[in-house]
């Protein structure tokens, strides 16, 4: 369906206006390429949309902090639609996919909280995913990174404590063995790997 003819598009300078719209994210670029005009009969919706744009532009022009936070966060928003779709099925997500979701939610929540701070949350309505993000950040680090936290499982926490203890014990025994070897081989210094010259018959016999 043709909404506007070529001559009208040119006279209204629409190509120039569209070129001025430079999305920061992949999602924004996709939305721009699929943008559709308001059809006759939707004048009230168009006026409401203009009002929203006017309010956003005012904050962008008057608040550098708002503009920087919004643009930098939007630039980090990737299109992870397929990952979200997989999360709604019985399939087990890979760690990289969970990481993708957490990074998405991290910047999404930054955008939402920024809009809320500047009282724009009624103009741009975003669902609050703070609780969901909290599940992926049980330690409250608030960083765009993900690891399997010990807080997810008491068994995992116990295993990690055991691993820490065993690692410490191995390190201690290793050090004691090196000290014993140093003494018995009459060496001034010793490392984990001992290099002995073939000419040193005495030390070779001890080894």
């Amino acid at each position: 369906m043709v909404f506007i003819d070529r001559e009208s598009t040119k006279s209204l300078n629409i190509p120039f206006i569209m070129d001025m719209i430079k999305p920061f994210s992949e999602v924004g670029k996709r939305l721009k390429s699929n943008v559709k005009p308001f059809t006759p009969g939707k004048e009230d919706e168009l006026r409401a949309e203009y009002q929203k744009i006017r309010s956003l532009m005012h904050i962008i022009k008057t608040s550098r902090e708002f503009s920087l936070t919004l643009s930098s966060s939007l630039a980090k928003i990737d299109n992870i639609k397929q990952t979200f779709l997989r999360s709604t099925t019985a399939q087990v997500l890979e760690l990289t996919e969970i990481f993708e979701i957490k990074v998405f939610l991290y910047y999404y929540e930054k955008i939402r909280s920024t809009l809320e701070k500047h009282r724009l949350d009624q103009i741009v309505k975003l669902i609050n995913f703070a609780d969901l993000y909290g599940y992926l950040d049980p330690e409250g680090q608030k960083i765009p990174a993900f690891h399997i936290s010990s807080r997810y499982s008491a068994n995992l926490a116990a295993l990690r404590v055991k691993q820490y203890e065993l690692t410490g014990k191995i390190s201690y025994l290793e050090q004691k063995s090196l000290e014993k070897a140093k003494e018995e081989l009459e060496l001034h210094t010793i490392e984990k790997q001992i290099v002995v010259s073939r000419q040193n018959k005495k030390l070779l016999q001890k080894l």
Side-chain angles (χ1 to χ4, degrees):
M1 179 179 179
V2 179
F3 293 97
I4 187 171
D5 59 66
R6 184 175 298 179
E7 288 303 316
S8 296
T9 298
K10 186 176 180 180
S11 62
L12 291 172
N13 219 4
I14 290 179
F16 175 74
I17 295 172
M18 291 299 293
D19 189 57
M20 291 179 66
I21 301 174
K22 301 185 183 301
F24 288 98
S25 67
E26 181 187 341
V27 177
K29 292 174 183 177
R30 179 165 49 84
L31 289 173
K32 177 186 174 181
S33 64
N34 294 324
V35 67
K36 291 194 172 43
F38 287 86
T39 54
K42 295 185 177 181
E43 288 78 7
D44 289 341
E45 292 181 31
L46 178 59
R47 293 189 187 94
E49 193 65 27
Y50 271 130
Q51 184 57 46
K52 291 179 182 180
I53 294 172
R54 189 178 294 113
S55 299
L56 280 170
M57 292 302 296
H58 173 71
I59 298 296
I60 289 173
K61 288 180 179 180
T62 57
S63 174
R64 179 172 173 77
E65 175 267 334
F66 173 83
S67 179
L68 287 175
T69 301
L70 198 65
S71 59
S72 62
S73 297
L74 283 170
K76 299 291 177 57
I77 296 288
D78 291 326
N79 183 2
I80 58 170
K81 181 180 178 181
Q82 294 304 316
T83 301
F84 277 122
L85 289 175
R86 273 174 51 79
S87 70
T88 62
T89 67
Q91 299 180 66
V92 177
L93 295 178
E94 300 288 340
L95 282 179
T96 53
E97 293 175 312
I98 299 175
F99 168 75
E100 287 178 347
I101 292 174
K102 184 180 179 182
V103 170
F104 179 94
L105 291 176
Y106 174 81
Y107 289 107
Y108 174 96
E109 280 299 305
K110 281 192 72 172
I111 294 170
R112 189 189 62 78
S113 61
T114 299
L115 291 171
E116 189 176 72
K117 176 182 177 182
H118 292 274
R119 300 179 181 178
L120 295 171
D121 50 315
Q122 293 304 310
I123 294 176
V124 183
K125 296 182 180 181
L126 297 177
I127 299 172
N128 188 333
F129 285 125
D131 289 341
L132 178 57
Y133 178 80
Y135 287 123
L136 300 176
D137 188 31
E139 296 167 348
Q141 295 179 318
K142 295 183 179 179
I143 57 175
F146 179 77
H147 70 281
I148 302 297
S149 171
S150 296
R151 296 193 179 188
Y152 286 128
S153 165
N155 289 336
L156 177 60
L159 285 172
R160 281 183 170 163
V161 169
K162 190 68 175 177
Q163 181 188 35
Y164 177 79
E165 292 173 348
L166 289 173
T167 301
K169 187 175 181 179
I170 290 171
S171 179
Y172 171 77
L173 292 174
E174 184 179 72
Q175 186 60 36
K176 293 296 289 184
S177 297
L178 287 173
E179 290 174 359
K180 183 178 179 181
K182 177 183 176 183
E183 181 181 345
E184 292 180 353
L185 298 174
E186 300 177 356
L187 299 174
H188 296 293
T189 60
I190 192 169
E191 297 180 1
K192 292 182 180 180
Q193 183 178 14
I194 301 175
V195 179
V196 180
S197 171
R198 292 181 179 179
Q199 305 302 320
N200 195 334
K201 304 294 186 180
K202 182 180 177 181
L203 187 55
L204 285 173
Q205 288 176 356
K206 288 182 178 182
L207 290 173

